[in-house]
Amino acid sequence: MLSGKVLLWVFWAILVSALSAMLGYELFFQQQKPLFLIGQTSHGHHQIEMVCDTCHTKAFGSAEVLQDACTGCHAEELSVAQDSHPKSKFTDPRNADRLDKLDARFCVTCHREHNEDITQVMGVTLPVDLCFNCHEDIAEDRVSHAGMEFTTCASAGCHNYHDNRALYEAFLVADAGTPWLKAEGRLFTSALGAWMDASGHRPHTLSDENLPADVMDAGFSLLQAQWALSSHADNNVGCNTCHGPAQAWVASPGTELCASCHGPQSATFLQGRHGMRLAQQLPAMRPALSVQNHNSLAFSNDSLDRQLDCNACHDAHNTNTQLAAVDSCLGCHADDHSQSFLQSPHGQLWQQFGNGTLEKEQAVSCASCHMPVSAIGSNPAHLLVQHNQNDSLRPNEKMIRPVCMNCHSVAFSIDALADEQLIDSNFTGRPQVHIESSEMALKRVR
Amino acid sequence: MFMPEDDIDDTAVAPAPPVAGHASPTIVIVGNGPVGVHFAHQLLQQGWAGHIKIFGEEDSQPYNRVQLSALLNRDISLKQIQNPLPLHDSLTQFLCCRITQIAPDQHLVTDAFGNKHHYTHLVLATGSRPHIPSVPGRDLPGIYRFRDLRDVEALYARLGKTRNTVIVGGGLLGLETAKAMSRFSTQVTVIQHSSTLMNRQLDAEASVRIQRYAEAKGIRFYLNHKLESINGNQRVESVKLAGDTTLPCDTLIFATGITPNTDLALLAKLRIRTGIQIDSRLQTSHPDIYAIGECADYQGQVFGLVSPGLEQASILAANLTGARKEYRGSTLATELKVMGLDVFSMGEVGEVYDLQHVESEIHTHGHVYRRLFFSNHRLIGAIAIGHWPEYKAIQQLIKGRKRVWLWQRRRFADEGNLFAATADADPLANLPAATIICNCQQVTLGQIRQCLNSAEPALPVLQQKLGVATVCGTCKPLVQQVLQITVEHQPVKKKLIAYALLAFFTCWFLLGFEPLSFSQSTTEPGWDWLWTNSLARQVSGFTILGLTTLSLLLTLGKRVRRITWPSFDFWRSTHVILTSLALLTLILHTGLAFGEGINRWLILDFLVLALVGTGSALVSAMEGRWVSTRIKRLKRSLVLCHIVAFWPLPVLLGFHIMSVYYF
């Protein structure tokens, strides 16, 4: 028989074993480890924060393991952006003294995750005047910079740590004097058909339709009518192409099925905020998951539980990209910027296009800026819609080259993108902020 | 002999008529045994405004009947059993003065000398006499009873001559007498008609143990035997038991129970059952006549022990001086040394209850035998042979019919104790204030402590003020123990308070403040590197681990008995200081941000642990000042909570450290 003291020890042993088993099981055998989530991740990562091994690819790894995880997803865009502070700059022995101030070899030096309290714009977790570490004497090189606060380097719309394509001196000088609105401004349009042909995904003939009896219900004839008018029908994509044969009928084909023909679109979709959860084999993103985040955008209440897969924006039976370019966006997004769109100058153009009074190349949709048509892949002629909405967004100066400059001057674009109120009103009016980078570039060159 | 003549004359010649508003109300007490005397004491203490007359038929000063067997055994002297009444203006004692008649209608009593005494309240404390069964030959010389001082004198005289003493009756008195008589190579034999000894208080097993113990001392027992006849020519020569056993016998003592003295009440036409019938106000069938002690019969029960009588006396005295108390029967508790063996019996135990269905739990270990009786998981009775330090606490549980938990029963079965042993070995210190220390006078631990606060802490003072250890004397060691504990008022441990407050304010700081702000500027670096830099965090983290582990040495100091230096106080202070340092380091480690998931659990657990610890440290520091069982109990609960709060800490800390390196 056990005495009280022994019983206490037994209780303790049971508690310790149970707690250890619970924590150990989650840590070592579960993909999602909510108990070990020590703090909310930045807005870029919170969608996938439960899948620890997305970033923590190896248990008990070193800083290099984390670094590999960062570059695993972000290396390509940094390379495209011609990263101003690549790792190679700091592994150069001549810069060894700089490493003491800021170990820029590792992303996590500036972007420490799970530190919600100190996370600032762009997921930076260091004071915003971090440039001071190396550029303390900048006023000696650039007299124009004398007296400027180091807190304004990145916040005033001038510089970025990684992507400075829009602020490159020669580039600013070259564009100087351009009127704010180009008379002949035109946007690119997608060359989907050409790409389909080149990639060999377009079926040559429409196969014989073979449908199970139970799908031929009341709504079927409407669907069939919509489909008959769609580009899928034009391009010989029939019911069985997506739903499979009658014997193995798939009622709701998923993103993988779309990807079988629309590879680049799907790939870029999975890179962006809309598809990054699907990319990690997590259930699709829902606006509701974003609302839990403290820095969430606003969403309409009835959209909160909408699943963000291809069908969220595109209707396969009614492949109207005009719907996908604006209406689908506004179905969920309810922030000031989105809600101001239709009344904005851009929105007016879009509505003129809708009325048939304007060419498509001159109309501006949500997608024009956030999912711009651009060269994806190796062939620059293959202009396709970039489905990663983040590609041209953070920082928003990234948008200048591929999007804004089609119609506007660089100087105007910089001012407009630096004016937060103007962004909220979706560019209704003129910028109230002026960034002097063009003038400064010109002054220095002359 | 204190017999003021003029007083007798006064009352005899001119008995005052029972007029309402009589200047001096008089209480007449019939009987100056322990109960009567206690009643008079209580009346005086409560400030009874009238006169008191107390009548005793014996020719000696009042004495303590309970200790007669000790006197016979020469454990105490004659002087020590005296139970004198104080000299008091309003108290008149009549010794050797039997009351022969009551006239209830006239409020008069008549004494053996023919004097009449007026009373406003009459209290019958006539006690009882030995019950002598009708056995042939019971009038022969050599047959004794054991009731009063005369009997002791007679038996004392007999001690030197007797060779074969037979005691009829195996109850409490029988065994005490047997022990007292078994000297000078006298063969003492106890005859008991029932199958168990002390069948009102013990069960079969306890009876067997006492029998064995007594047999080892040379006493013979005949259980389940009935006395058939007493034989002899001039005097007792032998006794014959049912079943043809004949025992040689030169001295026969009857200890076969009591018969309440109801003759007087019978003459006064009071209602009688076994004893004089009383109600919950201790009133007989006549409104101004009361009965207390062994002559009283409450709901068919006559108590043969002294403590219920004393309880009745106290209640009646209180009621007659203005209080409104009710008597609801007594829970019988017996704690005594039977022939030098500790015997404890309380509540619903013994033969009478054997047939009723009760659960019981038994613990035996060597000479120790303990049995608890439960009804519906509540403790209703207990028997113990051998010393049991817990018995006062047990008595308290039985009195309150308290629930006993399953693990307590398990512990009892294993260890013989219902309560866990505590660091302070003194069981008294942890008892509630309502615990009755003196069963005879019904004095509680709280009363003793209260008395000690206002009076000089000495046994005689307590005896005089509260009457503890004056009746049966069993509680004397306990009272002395209480004296020892309570006298030691220890100083407040100020340093410990300071350390505990340091820990408390650090916890408060950790819990009450927003996370510390981070440096907003590279040009003006702040202190945030302490809780953001990986190396700094590892240093602070392992510092906390080290400090916490060191502070666990307290447990060693507490549990390893060999470690007696430095003192426990030193260990405790060190523990609190180290924990305070760990908490301060925790501020640097976290920057007051608790994080989420197990990090949050860990820090919250640590803070709960520290806060509970702070509480128990404060209580420990103050317990020297606030001597009370409630404080003791509070401290014990806090320490237990402290230990329980520690339970998850090693696992959480382990996983916290592992997760830092895992991710």
Side-chain angles (χ1 to χ4, degrees), chain A residues 120-163:
Chain A
Q120 310 181 52
V121 252
M122 302 301 140
V124 174
T125 48
L126 284 184
V128 284
D129 60 352
L130 63 100
C131 311
F132 177 84
N133 282 312
C134 301
H135 303 284
E136 188 184 354
D137 50 3
I138 188 67
E140 291 168 21
D141 283 353
R142 305 278 166 121
V143 185
S144 59
H145 286 54
M148 287 183 181
E149 294 286 333
F150 280 92
T151 49
T152 61
C153 306
S155 66
C158 299
H159 300 283
N160 280 301
Y161 184 87
H162 296 293
D163 184 348

Side-chain angles (χ1 to χ4, degrees), chain A residues 185-366:
Chain A
R186 291 179 85 81
L187 292 166
F188 295 109
T189 51
S190 165
L192 182 61
W195 182 82
M196 280 295 196
D197 286 333
S199 64
H201 282 303
R202 197 206 298 261
H204 296 296
T205 52
L206 185 63
S207 55
D208 289 339
E209 296 294 5
N210 174 17
L211 305 177
D214 57 340
V215 302
M216 318 268 277
D217 57 7
F220 178 71
S221 55
L222 177 64
L223 278 183
Q224 199 182 27
Q226 282 181 345
W227 168 80
L229 295 171
S230 74
S231 52
H232 273 159
D234 295 344
N235 292 293
N236 301 325
V237 177
C239 307
N240 297 115
T241 317
C242 300
H243 291 285
Q247 302 81 10
W249 185 262
V250 181
S252 326
T255 308
E256 300 85 354
L257 192 275
C258 306
S260 62
C261 295
H262 302 280
Q265 291 89 340
S266 170
T268 50
F269 167 71
L270 293 177
Q271 287 165 5
R273 293 285 185 86
H274 291 154
M276 65 191 290
R277 278 174 66 86
L278 285 173
Q280 300 301 333
Q281 275 80 47
L282 283 168
M285 180 62 183
R286 288 175 292 123
L289 293 174
S290 180
V291 171
Q292 295 164 6
N293 190 295
H294 300 307
N295 304 314
S296 169
L297 293 173
F299 294 96
S300 67
N301 280 333
D302 55 343
S303 74
L304 291 178
D305 284 316
R306 218 169 276 178
Q307 306 272 329
L308 260 165
D309 52 13
C310 301
N311 294 319
C313 302
H314 299 282
D315 184 347
H317 301 114
N318 183 11
T319 55
N320 184 346
T321 51
Q322 291 177 34
L323 284 177
V326 173
D327 300 12
S328 295
C329 310
L330 298 181
C332 295
H333 289 279
D335 52 282
D336 292 343
H337 177 75
S338 305
Q339 286 184 329
S340 310
F341 172 70
L342 289 174
Q343 289 83 48
S344 75
H346 288 154
Q348 297 295 323
L349 294 175
W350 179 253
Q351 288 183 54
Q352 286 173 32
F353 163 62
N355 300 336
T357 55
L358 198 70
E359 284 181 79
K360 190 177 181 186
E361 287 82 354
Q362 290 180 306
V364 181
S365 67
C366 301

Side-chain angles (χ1 to χ4, degrees), chain B residues 54-90:
Chain B
I54 179 162
F55 293 84
E57 62 174 321
E58 288 182 58
D59 54 5
S60 51
Q61 284 280 350
Y63 61 88
N64 204 338
R65 195 185 307 285
V66 184
Q67 290 184 316
L68 282 180
S69 58
L71 179 67
L72 179 59
N73 205 21
R74 292 207 300 190
D75 290 338
I76 52 175
S77 67
L78 184 59
K79 204 173 172 191
Q80 279 171 298
I81 71 161
Q82 280 174 356
N83 187 16
L85 276 162
L87 288 176
H88 198 283
D89 287 344
S90 52

